[in-house]
Amino acid sequence: MHRPRWTFSRWEPRSFSIAARLAGAVPLGYAFISVLATLLGAIVSAMGVAKADAVVLCGMTGFVMYLVWLIWAFSARSVALVYIVALVAGSVSAGLIWLLHMLAG
Amino acid sequence: MGHSFRKSMALLHTWAGVILGSVLFAIFWMGSLSVFDREFDRWMQPQTRLAFSEGPPSLDDVVAPVLKSVAAASPQLLVRLPTERVAHLQLAYRDADGQFVTRAMDPRSGRFVDDQGSFSGTGFFFPFHFRLHLNWLGLGYWLVGLASMAMLVLLVSGVVIHKKVFSDFFLFRPKKQLQRAALDLHNLTGVLGLPFHFLITLSGLIIFMQVYFPFAHLGAFGVGPAASVAFQKEATGRYARPPSGTPGALMSLDALIAKAEHIWPGGTASLVRVWHPGDANGYVEVRRSYAQDVTMNLDQVYFDAGTGAVLHRFEASPIMGIQRFISGMHFIQFDHWGLRWLYFFAGLSGCVMIATGFLFWLESRRASHAKRGLAGVRIVEALTVGSVTGILCATAAYLVVNRMLPCDATFAGQSRAELEVWVFYCAWLSTWMHAMWRRADPISQPARKAWREQCWAIAVLALLAVVLNSVTTGDHLFRTLARGDWQVAGVDLMLLLCAAVSAWAARRVTRLSRSPNSARRPAGESRPAVKPSETSHA
């Protein structure tokens, strides 16, 4: 069976690229999804849903979002893209949480 | 690069399975046992084999005296009422030395049941299932969480790499070579049980939402301990009132239960907790049973201990209710024997799915690893034997030692309950060592000796457990069946069934190793024209 070559770049050894993908997908992805779930909780509660309900709703969806993320992260062609998405989207989400806090006063 | 989604999913499925399969098997096995945790409690703690009362117990008669005697110095007294599966009252309080104590009480006589010195189902199997008894830094929770996410990924990737989902669903060729039979059974249990495996895993994660997403409330509630407390209060309800320091009376607990049940339409009480007993600021918390619902409701009422006035009342909000419904789908605390058995067999099908996944991996890699001198098959095979038959042996040994240890046994500062757990882990460790000792050599053949001997060990230990139960408690099968004690009889019967299945499996492994057809034939070689009969073997 032709195994897919997961490479960070064509010059990196394969074990490094696997470790890099694992680190990007699992812990970094988890951190990103956590921030995303927190942001969604803030947005849904700002939309009028009771705060505890909003948090629980978005916390529950967090597991499904993480699952979707993992499937994508392990099948994406470029490991670098996995890192970029996690870091950029995670930072943007964190920024939006802070922004919502400032607006709420 | 030749990279495709399906191929990456195949690789992911294989690696996630091999690395986390052992943890997942342990979780599914202990989870299946936990379906009947109360039954194991009853079997392993013989003095709790009480007859079930007709009506609810009178707490004023049996529990109120406790507040004047052993629990006189306790800041709280917790009482769990009997259920359909638990015949005794469960009391928890701090004794005169400040030690936290949990005791069982016969609801008809008010006498305490002696400490049975066993963690049993609810104290060992059940916590093993969700945190592997790895309490340091909550490591067990995180490993279970990782394995659970891996399980979801395995299920999704398993479906993706499946070319012919529905035709494979109807295919099971047990007489074929081990690799093909293992894959067939793996697909069968995977596809047939797919809704169960997915929902049981996701619901398990959702139960521990606050463990795995501890910062989820930061956006809506803000940072700091006050925000966290506010979230807890809004989600799960919370009322507290500090003691006043002046003495006060406690009114009838039965009357308060009746009042609470009047407040909840159609509800019955399951838990009563007296806070600051004997204090003027004392109050009584009554919680509602969820034996008739899937949702593990959070309905609670707080009464003033002296006057019985309602101080606070809480029910879960709609979405919290959904989380509790999903949790309830996993916890299965409702009274429904049919569904309970279904869950049990579904859990076992998950175990079969994981075990056959390992077997398939081993058989498909065996020839190539043998040729290339790789250690993979050797390592994973020992891992598989220890993870599958090993943990089953350890469980059977746990039940056997429970019947063998005297009531007051201690050793090296370990209590009787802890000694039982030591035996479990020592037995499990020895199955790993046995698996390594009896490993296949050369690895071009399966480690039949290891599998066979551990299967026999399971059969012998399971049978021994039933015999010891009869000898040490006098509750042999005819007696338990005659008095309608299906819980104890059920454990005995399932142990006998387990012994029979293990013995059958051991013999099947034996037959496979004796038959010349057991050797894997390279592709292209034809089968011998005459099939050798079994009588030609010694």
Side-chain angles (χ1 to χ4, degrees), chain B residues 424-448:
Chain B
F424 175 91
Y425 284 113
C426 289
W428 202 6
L429 184 65
S430 37
T431 61
W432 299 106
M433 299 193 316
H434 173 262
M436 286 196 285
W437 170 47
R438 294 304 243 173
R439 67 180 175 278
D441 200 3
I443 58 162
S444 51
Q445 288 294 312
R448 292 194 184 87

Side-chain angles (χ1 to χ4, degrees), chain B residues 141-176:
Chain B
Y141 279 116
W142 290 102
L143 192 50
V144 170
L146 180 70
S148 304
M149 285 310 309
M151 183 61 166
L152 293 177
V153 166
L154 281 160
L155 291 169
V156 169
S157 58
V159 169
V160 167
I161 66 183
H162 225 76
K163 265 193 290 204
K164 304 172 282 178
V165 177
F166 288 107
S167 58
D168 278 351
F169 174 71
F170 294 104
L171 204 57
F172 180 39
R173 295 164 283 192
K175 296 275 194 273
K176 279 274 187 174

Side-chain angles (χ1 to χ4, degrees), chain B residues 241-259:
Chain B
R241 182 166 85 169
S244 67
T246 57
L250 172 66
M251 65 174 279
S252 158
L253 292 171
D254 294 327
L256 291 175
I257 289 175
K259 233 178 142 177

Side-chain angles (χ1 to χ4, degrees), chain B residues 89-103:
Chain B
L89 285 157
Q90 292 168 284
L91 272 70
Y93 56 88
R94 283 198 188 275
D95 66 12
D97 306 318
Q99 290 292 333
F100 183 74
V101 184
T102 315
R103 301 180 78 172

Side-chain angles (χ1 to χ4, degrees), chain B residues 383-423:
Chain B
L383 186 78
T384 306
V385 175
S387 308
V388 175
T389 47
I391 199 175
L392 268 61
C393 278
T395 306
Y398 185 67
L399 295 175
V400 165
V401 77
N402 166 264
R403 293 291 83 233
M404 283 173 60
L405 283 177
C407 251
D408 50 1
T410 69
F411 182 74
Q414 300 289 293
S415 68
R416 185 188 185 281
E418 287 162 329
L419 287 174
E420 287 181 350
V421 174
W422 271 107
V423 169

Side-chain angles (χ1 to χ4, degrees), chain A residues 2-6 30 34 38 42 45 51-53 55-57 59-60 62-63 66-67 70-71 74-75 77 101, chain B residues 1 3 5 8-9 12 142 149 153 156 205 209 212-213 215-216 218-222 231 234 317-320:
Chain A
H2 178 81
R3 287 159 182 266
R5 293 253 315 153
W6 292 345
Y30 167 66
S34 295
T38 306
S45 83
K51 289 199 288 193
D53 274 358
V55 168
V56 169
L57 180 66
M60 290 195 286
F63 296 110
Y66 189 36
L67 172 62
L70 286 171
I71 297 292
F74 280 106
S75 58
R77 245 172 238 282
H101 250 285
Chain B
M1 269 206 276
H3 177 116
F5 181 61
S8 56
M9 287 297 105
L12 179 61
W142 290 102
M149 285 310 309
V153 166
V156 169
L205 286 165
M209 198 203 92
Y212 297 125
F213 290 117
F215 307 119
L218 289 187
F221 285 86
F231 171 52
E234 211 181 298
S317 49
I319 295 181
M320 193 63 202

Side-chain angles (χ1 to χ4, degrees), chain B residues 299-338:
Chain B
D299 296 7
Q300 50 199 279
V301 190
Y302 295 81
F303 299 98
D304 182 82
T307 63
V310 174
L311 297 169
H312 182 69
R313 191 187 153 176
F314 180 86
E315 285 89 34
S317 49
I319 295 181
M320 193 63 202
I322 292 174
Q323 195 266 356
R324 297 297 290 183
F325 176 85
I326 294 174
S327 303
M329 279 205 310
H330 190 106
F331 266 98
I332 56 170
Q333 293 299 289
F334 43 81
D335 293 340
H336 196 301
W337 288 109

